[in-house]
């Protein structure tokens, strides 16, 4: 700890005292053509302070992904997007995708430690804290305008679950809604997808959009798992199918925005998770989410603006698990177990943003969430045996404020705090402090401190399956985290920006599964303190002729304090590379998207070697007048790699797809 | 390490870094607003992709700014630059009368209120009018900047361009997010 502190301090001191470089030639952007100029980001972000501000002034480090990035890199879902983000990694168990950040990635946590927002409205549910990022995600990535990824704790603004990061997805807005599009895709493993999007601009300047997406995939026809070598030679046949359909609609009228989204995904489980029958292809999960969200923004005066939002979400999960209670292997002896949940909740949020003076801004807000139905049940179908019927209601409210004060021309202080009361797990207060300096043009230094919490969800508190495998915890404390961060952002040349960040966090009362030795049942308990630290380095470049790229490296070390052991599924090293090159007078973009995920400790105590994957996309925006075409080869070098299994898996490793492809055509009419 | 000892170490670290920062603040200047930097670079491109009836090598090409110069040093590189054999001059001008002698007229924020008035005073003179005033293109201006998805885009009124006897290249029109026919 001490050494790293000294290094950080030296780095900051060096930055402050370093020789002033030769005056940067103004207007470096003059070298860019109009196409490029139209994609130069202005550097504004919203999600770090719930108010528009320059990313350089934000009390966190923020990565912004644009709609153009999504298209030219061939990203298929939010998981693909996040894989490219510095310090993020995704673990896929061929059913769900779990996001890891800063060395912390718990398979089976349903992303409850990353807050996912769509147009500033919370997606994570109260049952599992879940926000799905794979094909089960509620929003078609083609409808994304931009994604802001805010690192670090943000409970000071957002309350529960804004633990490691906030991912805010902004959908198309304004003139960008004014399109009519038809999109078709085919991919390997019998994958096909279609989308129709209809948008309109009315004479009074308001906009409306409706979009529908359908998807189907056979998945891997034969998946080999050596752990099940005794059954069908270890091959799971036709057990990787996936279908989804989703819809999204949005209306903007003056300051009002109303949006509706829904998704229903059905996935066959090939891994025989939770002790189910291997190679039965009858085990599956169906996940649904629906939401309606209204928002009103109004400038009450030139200095004061009001934001009011209200939304209602509904989630439904049906898991079908084929069990063989007698262990005969005879299909007539199999019993279907149904695992269900239903959630219905609504939220109201009001916020005032006041520019007190040119140098001071204040944000004040309050939020109320009513969890109308948080139901979990479990039963065997035939013969009928009810194992769980747990119905709950809960509520929470929070009040928050954040002040940004420019102490000197080049020094900004940002302080925020939020109080939360949750009917199930009590009250908590979480601050965030940031000191942001621009000692000279092109240099930004940030010192950040913040805490965050995650209220235990109802799955962790109350789930049980009648004494077969899991019993309820009943009472759990909030999980909490304290994070310290130092960030140095440096404009190196006109087009090249460097970021170096150091973080240290302590996590308390981690809610995780253990097996109670008294009865052999799984139960969630609050566990020991976790210490972690890491360094992240990134270069982002934008060069003449439209070449753009990012290169990042993350070094992360996690440690369970009491045992001094590293966390499982915590890669010590990660690297990402993204490069997009326009060809033939910008008719085509050739883009490479590569990730390296370093070695990870497995749940069984083994160590998995690192892997790297490279994806390549050829994208044409103007090949035909109104048609975009793209072709992507994923995992170009056909690397055999696997992600780690979770506690519900017999498998230590779950193999991922080898080389595969996708062709995509989008036409506007 | 206990929570409290961590806090005290962090406090020391914060204090040290703060001292460094304050010490380093003498050699500073305000960063230019990115939006205006992009607009300035667009102006350079507009000059390249627009043809004036008096286009002749060696003659000066004047960019007039009405309502002050919000660009600061961002336009410095344009001054004296040569496009199509014409040297670019940048001038701040006071009113519509002086605007008659410009090739490009940028209506800056303080003059947004009289943008329409300035444009109509120009009649059919060959002046490429540019502004970020909302509704500028629909009100008869030639090019209007707009911020969309945190990037600077622009709309073009081709009818207004024709009225001013300006030929805008298809490349310029191809990048526009909206082409107003007037």
């Amino acid at each position: 700890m001490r050494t790293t502190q000294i290094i950080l301090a030296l780095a900051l001191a060096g930055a402050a005292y370093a020789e002033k470089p030769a005056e940067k030639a103004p207007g470096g952007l003059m070298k860019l053509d109009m196409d490029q100029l139209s994609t130069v980001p202005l550097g504004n972000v919203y999600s770090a302070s719930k108010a528009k501000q320059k990313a350089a002034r934000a009390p966190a480090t923020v990565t912004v992904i644009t709609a153009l990035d999504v298209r030219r890199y061939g990203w298929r879902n939010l998981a693909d997007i996040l894989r490219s983000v510095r310090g993020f990694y995704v673990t896929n168990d061929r059913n769900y995708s779990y996001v890891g950040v800063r060395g912390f990635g718990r398979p089976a946590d349903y992303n409850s430690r990353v807050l996912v927002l769509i147009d500033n409205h919370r997606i994570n549910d109260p049952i599992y804290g879940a926000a799905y990022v794979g094909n089960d995600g509620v929003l078609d990535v083609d409808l994304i305008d931009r994604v802001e990824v805010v690192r670090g704790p943000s409970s000071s603004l957002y309350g529960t679950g804004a633990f490691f990061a906030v991912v805010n997805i902004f959908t198309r807005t304004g003139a960008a809604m004014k399109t009519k599009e038809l999109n078709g895709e085919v991919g390997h493993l019998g994958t096909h997808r279609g989308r129709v999007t209809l948008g309109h601009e009315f004479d009074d300047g308001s906009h409306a959009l409706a979009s529908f997406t359908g998807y189907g995939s056979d998945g891997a026809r034969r998946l080999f798992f050596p752990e099940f070598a005794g059954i069908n030679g270890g091959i799971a046949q036709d057990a990787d199918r996936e279908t989804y359909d989703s819809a999204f609609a949005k209306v903007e009228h003056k300051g009002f925005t109303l949006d509706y989204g829904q998704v229903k995904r059905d996935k066959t489980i090939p891994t025989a998770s939770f002790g189910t029958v291997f190679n039965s292809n009858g085990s599956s999960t169906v996940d649904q989410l629906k939401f309606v969200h209204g928002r009103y923004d109004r400038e009450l005066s030139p200095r004061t603006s009001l934001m009011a939002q209200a939304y209602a979400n509904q989630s439904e999960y049906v898991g079908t698990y084929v069990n063989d209670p007698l262990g005969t292997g005879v299909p007539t002896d199999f019993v279907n177990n149904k695992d269900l949940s239903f959630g219905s909740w609504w939220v109201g949020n009001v916020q005032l943003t006041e520019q007190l003076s040119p140098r001071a801004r204040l944000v004040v807000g309050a939020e109320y969430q009513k969890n109308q139905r948080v139901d979990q049940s479990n039963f065997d179908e035939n013969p009928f045996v009810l194992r769980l019927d747990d119905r709950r209601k809960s509520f929470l409210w929070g009040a928050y404020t954040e002040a940004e004060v420019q102490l000197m021309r080049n020094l900004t202080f940002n302080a925020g705090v939020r109080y939360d009361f949750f009917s199930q797990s009590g009250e908590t207060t979480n601050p965030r402090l940031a000191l942001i300096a621009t000692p000279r043009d092109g240099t930004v230094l940030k010192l950040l401190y913040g805490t965050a919490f995650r209220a235990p969800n109802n799955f962790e508190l109350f789930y049980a399956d009648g004494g077969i495998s899991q019993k309820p915890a009943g009472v759990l404390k909030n999980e909490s985290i304290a994070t310290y961060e130092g960030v140095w952002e440096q404009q190196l040349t006109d087009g090249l920006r460097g970021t170096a960040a150091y973080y240290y966090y302590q996590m308390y009362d981690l809610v995780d599964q253990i097996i109670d030795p008294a009865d052999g049942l799984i139960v969630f308990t609050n566990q020991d303190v976790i210490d972690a630290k890491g360094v992240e380095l990134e270069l982002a470049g934008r060069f003449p002729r439209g070449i753009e790229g990012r290169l990042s490296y993350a070094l992360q070390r996690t440690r369970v304090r009491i045992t001094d052991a590293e966390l499982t599924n915590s890669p010590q090293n990660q690297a990402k590379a993204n490069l997009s090159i326009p060809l033939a007078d910008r008719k085509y973009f050739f883009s490479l998207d590569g990730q390296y995920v370093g070695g990870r400790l497995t749940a069984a105590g083994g160590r998995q070697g690192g892997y790297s994957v490279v994806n390549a996309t050829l994208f044409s925006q103007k090949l035909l007048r109104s048609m975009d075409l793209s072709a992507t080869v994923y995992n170009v070098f056909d690397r055999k790699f696997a992600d780690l299994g979770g506690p519900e898996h017999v498998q230590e490793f779950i193999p991922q797809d080898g080389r595969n492809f996708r062709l995509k055509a989008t036409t506007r009419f | 390490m206990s929570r409290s000892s961590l806090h005290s170490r962090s406090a020391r670290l914060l204090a040290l870094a703060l001292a460094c920062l304050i010490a380093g603040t003498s050699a500073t200047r305000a960063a230019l607003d990115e939006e205006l930097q992009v607009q300035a670079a667009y102006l350079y491109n507009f000059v390249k992709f627009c043809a004036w009836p008096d286009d002749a090598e060696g003659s000066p090409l004047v960019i007039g700014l009405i309502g002050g110069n919000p660009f600061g040093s961002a336009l410095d590189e344009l001054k004296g630059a040569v496009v199509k054999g014409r040297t670019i001059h940048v001038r701040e001008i006071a009113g519509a009368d002086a605007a008659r002698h410009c090739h490009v007229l940028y209506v800056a924020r303080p003059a947004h209120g009289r943008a329409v008035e300035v444009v109509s005073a120009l009649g059919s003179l060959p002046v490429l009018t540019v502004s970020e005033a909302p509704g500028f293109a629909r009100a008869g201006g030639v090019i209007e900047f707009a911020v969309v998805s945190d990037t600077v885009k622009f709309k073009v009124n081709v009818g207004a361009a024709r009225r001013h006897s300006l030929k805008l290249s298809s490349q310029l029109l191809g990048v526009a997010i909206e082409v107003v026919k007037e």
Side-chain angles (χ1 to χ4, degrees):
Chain A
M1 225 0 247
R2 179 157 291 274
T3 328
T4 43
Q5 280 184 359
I6 290 167
I7 291 169
L8 177 64
L10 286 175
L12 288 164
Y17 284 118
E19 287 283 307
K20 196 184 175 196
E23 192 98 0
K24 181 178 63 130
L29 292 169
M30 299 278 175
K31 291 179 203 152
L32 303 186
D33 63 29
M34 287 181 289
D35 259 316
Q36 278 177 279
L37 286 172
S38 71
T39 63
V40 172
L42 299 178
N44 293 305
V45 294
Y46 179 88
S47 315
S49 290
K50 283 194 178 181
K52 184 178 156 184
Q53 63 187 167
K54 290 288 175 196
R57 282 275 173 84
T61 61
V62 186
T63 293
V64 177
I65 302 291
T66 66
L68 180 61
D69 292 333
V70 173
R71 292 205 296 270
R72 63 184 168 186
Y73 289 111
W75 292 329
R76 297 158 293 190
N77 47 44
L78 189 58
D80 278 355
I81 293 172
L82 294 177
R83 276 190 188 95
S84 81
V85 174
R86 158 168 49 97
F88 280 64
Y89 59 107
V90 176
T91 306
N92 178 286
D93 67 0
R94 303 202 78 92
N95 190 5
Y96 296 107
S97 295
Y98 302 106
V99 179
V101 193
R102 293 185 168 175
F104 190 96
R106 299 316 269 174
D109 80 351
Y110 303 100
N111 303 323
S112 57
R113 296 171 178 102
V114 173
L115 178 64
V116 177
L117 310 168
I118 292 180
D119 290 324
N120 310 303
H121 116 253
R122 172 188 292 266
I123 295 302
N124 300 66
D125 69 40
I127 305 168
Y128 312 97
Y132 299 117
V133 298
N135 289 331
D136 39 2
V138 66
L139 190 76
D140 186 323
V141 290
D142 287 343
L143 302 172
I144 288 176
D145 179 62
R146 49 199 259 112
V147 180
E148 294 181 2
V149 180
V150 183
R151 293 176 186 77
S154 295
S155 283
S156 63
L157 277 177
Y158 295 98
T160 181
F163 206 82
F164 283 109
V166 175
V167 176
N168 197 354
I169 305 167
F170 293 89
T171 61
R172 290 185 196 177
T173 183
M177 293 167 72
K178 195 179 63 178
T179 57
K180 294 179 175 61
E181 294 172 11
L182 203 57
N183 162 229
E185 289 176 32
V186 289
H188 96 144
L189 305 178
T191 302
H192 51 276
R193 198 185 84 121
R195 171 177 62 91
V196 58
T197 301
L198 300 169
H200 188 67
E201 183 179 53
F202 296 94
D203 289 338
D204 65 353
S206 47
H207 294 89
L209 173 143
S211 185
F212 305 90
T213 303
Y215 171 97
S217 176
D218 295 335
R221 304 298 297 271
R222 295 161 61 85
L223 281 167
F224 175 64
F225 297 102
E227 293 82 356
F228 293 96
I231 306 166
N232 196 33
I235 304 278
Q237 186 97 29
D238 289 327
D240 192 33
R241 293 172 187 281
E242 182 172 37
T243 60
Y244 73 79
D245 50 71
S246 66
F248 180 74
K250 182 174 175 179
V251 179
E252 285 180 355
H253 176 72
K254 305 211 176 343
F256 285 101
T257 306
L258 186 68
D259 52 314
Y260 170 84
Q262 67 167 59
V263 65
K264 179 179 184 181
R265 185 201 62 151
D266 187 336
K267 179 72 179 70
T268 310
I269 306 169
T271 52
S273 56
F274 300 104
T276 52
V277 175
F278 183 73
N279 190 37
S280 86
N281 77 20
S283 294
S284 68
T285 53
V286 178
D287 289 283
Q288 290 190 71
L289 179 69
K290 292 176 185 164
F291 68 77
V292 57
H293 166 231
R295 178 180 164 117
Y296 178 60
D297 287 278
R298 188 186 157 104
E299 293 209 344
L300 300 177
S301 79
R303 298 186 310 144
T304 311
S305 60
L306 167 77
M307 186 281 293
Q309 68 172 359
Y311 54 89
N313 284 27
Q314 183 181 301
S315 70
E316 191 173 354
Y317 150 77
V318 178
T320 304
Y321 297 96
V322 180
N323 290 325
D324 182 5
L326 305 176
T328 61
V330 178
T332 48
D333 291 337
F334 294 170
V335 173
N336 275 0
N337 178 264
K338 288 281 188 188
D339 195 43
L340 307 155
S341 72
F342 186 89
S344 166
W345 65 103
W346 62 265
V347 177
N349 178 200
V350 181
Q351 179 183 306
L352 280 172
T353 305
E354 173 95 17
Q355 196 70 43
L356 296 169
S357 80
R359 290 164 171 271
R361 187 193 60 212
L362 187 69
V363 170
V364 182
E367 189 170 33
Y368 177 83
Q369 174 166 345
K370 174 76 183 178
N371 299 322
Q372 197 65 38
R373 280 183 65 184
V374 189
D375 300 349
Q376 302 182 80
S377 59
N378 184 290
F379 59 88
D380 283 348
E381 263 184 335
N382 191 16
F384 181 82
V385 180
L386 184 65
R387 301 190 181 280
L388 173 69
D389 185 12
D390 183 73
R391 292 158 195 253
R392 309 268 169 180
K393 287 181 198 301
S394 56
F395 71 91
L396 64 91
W397 68 270
Y400 57 91
T401 182
E402 183 184 289
E404 184 191 87
V405 182
Q406 204 179 335
L407 299 174
M408 285 186 268
R409 190 168 54 162
N410 40 33
L411 190 65
T412 303
F413 180 62
N414 185 307
V417 63
R418 171 163 164 149
Y419 168 87
D420 280 275
F421 176 81
F422 184 25
S423 61
Q424 279 180 181
S425 54
E427 58 184 9
T428 175
T429 303
N430 291 274
R432 180 176 62 187
L433 304 171
L435 196 57
I436 299 152
T438 46
R440 49 163 202 265
D441 206 8
T443 303
V444 178
L445 302 170
K446 297 182 182 182
L447 285 174
L448 312 168
Y449 165 77
T451 70
F453 79 104
R454 183 180 74 88
N457 57 55
N458 279 36
F459 175 69
E460 292 162 337
L461 287 166
F462 305 120
Y463 183 81
D465 56 4
I468 296 177
S469 67
Q470 188 168 332
K471 63 179 180 180
V475 179
L476 289 168
K477 282 187 280 188
N478 286 334
E479 229 173 61
S480 65
I481 191 170
T483 304
Y484 304 81
E485 227 178 317
V487 183
W488 175 9
E489 293 173 2
Q490 180 67 47
Q491 196 72 37
L492 298 165
T493 67
D494 273 352
L496 194 62
R497 191 168 184 79
T499 303
Y502 169 88
Y503 63 81
Y504 169 72
Y505 65 77
Q506 291 179 313
M507 188 171 170
Y508 304 92
D509 300 318
L510 166 69
V511 174
D512 211 0
Q513 297 176 345
I514 60 153
I515 292 173
D516 186 342
D519 50 22
L521 293 175
I522 294 171
V523 64
F524 282 95
T525 61
N526 286 111
Q527 294 179 34
D528 195 45
V529 179
I530 289 164
D531 295 300
K533 56 193 171 186
V535 172
E536 296 184 353
L537 303 170
E538 183 166 278
L539 282 175
R542 178 179 290 273
F543 307 102
R545 287 193 299 282
I547 298 169
E548 286 182 30
R550 276 188 287 151
L551 189 65
S552 73
Y553 171 72
L555 173 75
Q556 43 208 26
R557 295 280 183 276
T558 55
R559 193 175 66 97
V560 180
R561 186 174 293 177
I562 203 160
T563 59
D564 204 26
E566 176 188 326
L567 281 181
T568 58
N569 195 27
S570 175
Q572 297 205 345
N573 303 280
Q574 280 194 87
K576 322 265 178 187
N578 284 79
L579 180 68
S580 181
I581 305 168
L583 302 169
D585 201 19
R586 300 175 63 85
K587 246 185 170 162
Y588 301 93
F589 287 89
F590 177 68
S591 307
L592 291 170
D593 166 30
Q595 295 115 30
Y596 168 76
V597 177
R600 295 179 275 187
L601 198 64
T602 70
R607 180 168 285 280
Q608 180 209 36
Y611 70 83
S612 51
V613 171
V614 174
N615 310 312
T617 299
L618 189 63
F619 166 63
S620 169
Q621 215 169 355
K622 291 173 180 170
L623 183 64
L624 296 170
R625 201 177 156 68
S626 57
M627 191 180 271
D628 291 356
L629 285 174
S630 84
T632 306
V633 179
Y634 301 95
N635 194 359
V636 174
F637 300 111
D638 200 21
R639 299 296 295 267
K640 300 280 178 275
F641 73 104
D643 275 330
L644 305 189
E648 70 274 38
H649 298 109
V650 173
Q651 297 93 325
E652 196 173 4
F653 303 108
I654 304 204
Q656 301 297 307
D657 289 340
R659 183 190 300 129
N660 64 96
F661 72 94
R662 182 185 73 167
L663 293 173
K664 175 175 176 180
T666 306
T667 181
R668 296 182 182 79
F669 55 92
Chain B
M1 189 195 302
S2 71
R3 272 203 216 204
S4 60
S5 88
L6 185 91
H7 277 283
S8 72
R9 282 182 188 199
S10 302
R12 282 207 302 275
L13 176 63
L14 267 161
L16 171 60
L18 184 61
C20 297
L21 292 174
I22 291 168
T25 49
S26 51
T28 59
R29 62 193 166 91
L32 270 176
D33 185 70
E34 285 88 345
E35 192 176 334
L36 288 164
Q37 286 190 49
V38 176
Q39 286 190 12
Y42 267 124
L43 286 180
Y44 177 54
N45 277 279
F46 295 160
V47 171
K48 284 199 283 189
F49 292 100
C50 175
W52 281 265
D54 72 339
D55 264 341
E57 273 199 33
S59 63
L61 200 147
V62 181
I63 298 179
L65 309 171
I66 193 164
N69 179 1
F71 299 104
S73 61
L75 279 182
D76 286 355
E77 195 168 278
L78 267 186
K79 291 177 187 165
V82 178
V83 177
K84 293 179 285 188
R86 309 184 69 172
T87 307
I88 296 176
H89 297 259
V90 178
R91 267 182 219 152
E92 282 186 49
I93 56 172
D97 269 354
R100 307 168 82 88
H101 306 293
C102 297
H103 295 86
V104 177
L105 178 69
Y106 179 85
V107 186
R109 186 154 300 176
H112 279 181
R114 50 192 171 117
V116 176
E117 178 194 331
V118 171
V119 164
S120 51
L122 288 173
S124 62
L125 288 167
V127 180
L128 177 67
T129 56
V130 182
S131 181
E132 57 173 350
F136 185 67
R138 279 177 197 271
V142 182
I143 295 181
E144 174 186 337
F145 287 124
V147 174
V148 179
S149 304
D150 201 40
T151 53
V152 181
K153 313 276 197 208
F154 61 89
K155 304 173 181 178
V156 176
N157 183 332
V158 287
R162 207 175 302 120
R163 193 178 68 238
H164 292 293
S165 313
L166 302 170
K167 284 204 183 102
L168 302 178
S169 81
S170 58
Q171 267 158 296
L172 195 153
L173 297 177
V175 183
I177 47 158
E178 189 177 335
V179 176
V180 182
K181 299 241 160 50
E182 197 171 53

